[in-house]
Amino acid sequence: MDKKLGLGALISLVIGSMVGAGVFSLPQNIAAHASAGAVALGWAITGIGMICLALVYQNLSMRRPDLDGGIFSYAKAGFGDFVGFNAAWGYWLCQLLANVSYAIVVFSALSYFFDTPDNVIFGDGNTPVAITLASLLIWSVHALVLRGIQVAALVNIVTTIAKMVPLIVFCVAVLLAFNMETFTLDIWGQGNTELGSVMDQVKSTMKVTLWVFIGIEGAVVVSARARHRKDVGRATVLALLGALALYVMVTLFSLGVMNQPQLAALKNPSTAMILEAVVGPWGAWLINIGLVISVMGALLSWTVLAAEVPYIAGKTGVFPAWFAKENKNGSPQVSLWCSTCLVQAFLIIIYFQSSTYLALVNIATSAALVPYVFSGAYGLKLALQGTTYEHQPHQRKRDLLLALVATVYGCWLVYAAGVEYLLLVALLYSPGIFIYWKARQHHGLRSLNRLERGMTAALLGCAVLAFYKVMDGTIPLH
Ligand SMILES: NC(=[NH2+])NCCC[C@H](N)C(=O)O
């Protein structure tokens, strides 16, 4: 049997991991800080940035077929071992935190079915019952993945189809109920002073819009298993266009059914509340079920993808080699065990911090910025150097432009995320230095050079500052 992945399988993999939890809460998450006009602008910027990033990935997967396994290989090839390591570390942590948010959001969706006002069982997914069941969930997925990843691929196809049903119903129903007057009422949000300037509003949509696209690199991560190299890029671009269309419809149509303050006040998953308002109680029911199926499926795929990071990093010398150990089913067991233990630890912290899904989304998205920015920058570097373009000068101009836009978009995201989150990222990244140092030792390489020591000192300085800010509450974790 051919175990290689074809175009269809790759597209379903990218859509399956990209469309997970985020889309179900999009209307509220976005409207919380922005009016209809600003939302449209935000999507335009994100759309252009993401399309360029996807095309950069497409291009990199063709030009550097030797660099398998993920976006951190690009950071390493372009900017050296230390940056490569940090991209891998950051990407891994982002996915683990994101998986924690998944475990929580499943139970906050179940609260729709089980909680009553005077008997809160699941609440926001961070009650004792919810955390216990969430722990059980992550360990069951862990056990499943230890038995081999074929199951995961199958479940992914089923859940990907299943989650599209409620989302399509949502789009059609909400479009039918669309009211132009609701949409255009206070379109720039000037009547609501809390929103701030249009620029502020656009900025604050950025993290939410980035979150829903995390997973765009899915096909690149598994490129070694693709039947045809070309399909990696094709799948990335097609899946992106599909998801972008879906997200824009979900957010903009919603703004024609309820106005910004009404949407901002909704409980999440907000798509459930909106569909309920349009079609009656079965709407909320359908969406909540859809969310649970979608997120459980995505959790399984993301567990595989997250464990793949230290595994490949271990193989290529970015992480210590013991991360590359496999069990008899070919699952990366060390890497998987480390991942699940960390997720469990984060779940316990969440409980004590009473953090919510949204807080985790914010943190995880910030951690993801570094690897994305460096992939864009590597595309830019390749096009500038021009060594792989000797026979295609036209291509070079096009690629230069695409990579430039992707890089500028990345820098804009870092700026829009805000300084506090950059500090928080330093806090997350700093324990990695120890692993990096271990990895160097392990592979018999020289430990940190001058530049790396400089970067380490800066990172640690920011981390200490961040620690203080978290402690005195200036950087909120909930
Ligand atoms: N490892 C993860 N769970 N990653 C998060 C992916 C987020 C995804 N784009 C969503 O909207 O749900």
Side-chain angles (χ1 to χ4, degrees):
M1 198 179 88
D2 186 4
K3 283 236 177 89
K4 295 266 180 191
L5 302 169
L7 182 63
L10 286 172
I11 294 181
S12 125
L13 183 114
V14 181
I15 297 253
S17 45
M18 189 157 58
V19 182
V23 62
F24 293 97
S25 304
L26 260 184
Q28 188 280 339
N29 290 176
I30 292 245
H33 306 285
S35 56
V39 172
L41 260 179
W43 279 117
I45 297 176
T46 306
I48 294 172
M50 275 294 162
I51 288 173
C52 290
L53 189 63
L55 291 171
V56 168
Y57 280 134
Q58 175 175 43
N59 181 34
L60 289 179
S61 74
M62 296 304 288
R63 266 174 215 284
R64 294 298 310 264
D66 53 317
L67 295 180
D68 275 327
I71 56 178
F72 63 86
S73 347
Y74 298 139
K76 182 177 175 219
F79 307 95
D81 290 348
F82 190 68
V83 173
F85 169 83
N86 278 298
W89 174 259
Y91 186 66
W92 187 44
L93 277 190
C94 158
Q95 303 312 348
L96 296 183
L97 286 165
N99 282 351
V100 178
S101 82
Y102 272 14
I104 290 188
V105 85
V106 166
F107 293 96
S108 84
L110 285 179
S111 78
Y112 172 78
F113 300 103
F114 296 101
D115 288 11
T116 56
D118 23 59
N119 187 17
V120 176
I121 305 172
F122 294 127
D124 288 329
N126 53 18
T127 59
V129 182
I131 297 282
T132 314
L133 290 179
S135 307
L136 216 74
L137 177 66
I138 57 161
W139 286 105
S140 320
V141 173
H142 171 93
L144 204 63
V145 176
L146 271 183
R147 304 181 55 184
I149 63 165
Q150 281 75 6
V151 199
L154 198 72
V155 174
N156 188 31
I157 296 181
V158 177
T159 52
T160 302
I161 297 172
K163 74 177 129 196
M164 283 304 149
V165 175
L167 290 172
I168 291 172
V169 172
F170 179 87
C171 287
V172 173
V174 174
L175 179 63
L176 291 178
F178 188 88
N179 180 338
M180 205 55 192
E181 259 166 51
T182 315
F183 186 79
T184 46
L185 187 78
D186 195 17
I187 192 159
W188 296 109
Q190 299 313 321
N192 184 350
T193 46
E194 268 175 28
L195 291 181
S197 69
V198 174
M199 171 78 165
D200 283 338
Q201 297 178 38
V202 173
K203 252 168 72 181
S204 53
T205 61
M206 284 299 131
K207 268 207 262 178
V208 182
T209 53
L210 176 61
W211 166 251
V212 290
F213 286 114
I214 293 184
I216 184 179
E217 67 291 342
V220 174
V221 175
V222 298
S223 52
R225 299 174 205 244
R227 189 172 304 144
H228 306 291
R229 259 277 139 190
K230 270 208 171 117
D231 290 345
V232 171
R234 281 194 196 138
T236 307
V237 174
L238 288 176
L240 168 79
L241 293 178
L244 181 64
L246 175 71
Y247 295 158
V248 170
M249 286 194 286
V250 168
T251 13
L252 291 186
F253 291 175
S254 301
L255 279 157
V257 175
M258 293 183 190
N259 60 24
Q260 179 270 329
Q262 284 169 328
L263 284 177
L266 288 181
K267 181 174 159 30
N268 278 312
S270 41
T271 42
M273 301 293 116
I274 298 166
L275 195 58
E276 180 169 34
V278 175
V279 302
W282 67 264
W285 195 88
L286 180 73
I287 295 277
N288 277 299
I289 300 259
L291 185 150
V292 172
I293 296 177
S294 165
V295 175
M296 297 249 235
L299 181 62
L300 184 58
S301 322
W302 276 112
T303 306
V304 175
L305 288 177
E308 194 86 350
V309 180
Y311 167 72
I312 294 187
K315 274 194 167 173
T316 49
V318 176
F319 271 34
W322 36 268
F323 275 105
K325 211 166 146 345
E326 293 176 9
N327 69 5
K328 59 176 193 313
N329 301 325
S331 294
Q333 55 170 343
V334 174
S335 166
L336 190 62
W337 275 98
C338 292
S339 305
T340 313
C341 288
L342 275 174
V343 170
Q344 178 68 72
F346 288 139
L347 263 178
I348 296 173
I349 300 179
I350 295 313
Y351 173 66
F352 286 108
Q353 288 281 336
S354 355
S355 310
T356 53
Y357 165 73
L358 210 52
L360 278 160
V361 168
N362 267 324
I363 302 172
T365 311
S366 313
L369 285 174
V370 175
Y372 284 125
V373 171
F374 279 107
S375 328
Y378 179 55
L380 191 59
K381 191 174 169 188
L382 264 192
L384 282 175
Q385 280 174 338
T387 41
T388 53
Y389 288 90
E390 269 137 17
H391 307 295
Q392 308 147 298
H394 284 305
Q395 275 281 330
R396 185 173 169 193
K397 268 194 210 134
R398 166 188 174 267
D399 289 354
L400 198 63
L401 183 70
L402 289 175
L404 187 68
V405 177
T407 312
V408 171
Y409 171 61
C411 297
W412 150 253
L413 284 175
V414 172
Y415 162 71
V419 182
E420 308 96 75
Y421 279 99
L422 271 189
L423 289 180
L424 202 57
V425 168
L427 190 60
L428 289 172
Y429 276 62
S430 54
I433 292 167
F434 177 71
I435 306 271
Y436 179 70
W437 178 66
K438 270 280 172 226
R440 303 290 289 183
Q441 261 186 352
H442 214 100
H443 294 278
L445 296 168
R446 206 162 42 89
S447 55
L448 311 189
N449 66 26
R450 258 256 317 273
L451 182 64
E452 293 175 351
R453 266 180 280 158
M455 291 198 265
T456 305
L459 202 61
L460 289 178
C462 292
V464 171
L465 191 61
F467 184 75
Y468 276 111
K469 283 188 172 276
V470 168
M471 282 303 160
D472 73 11
T474 353
I475 302 183
L477 293 187
H478 44 78

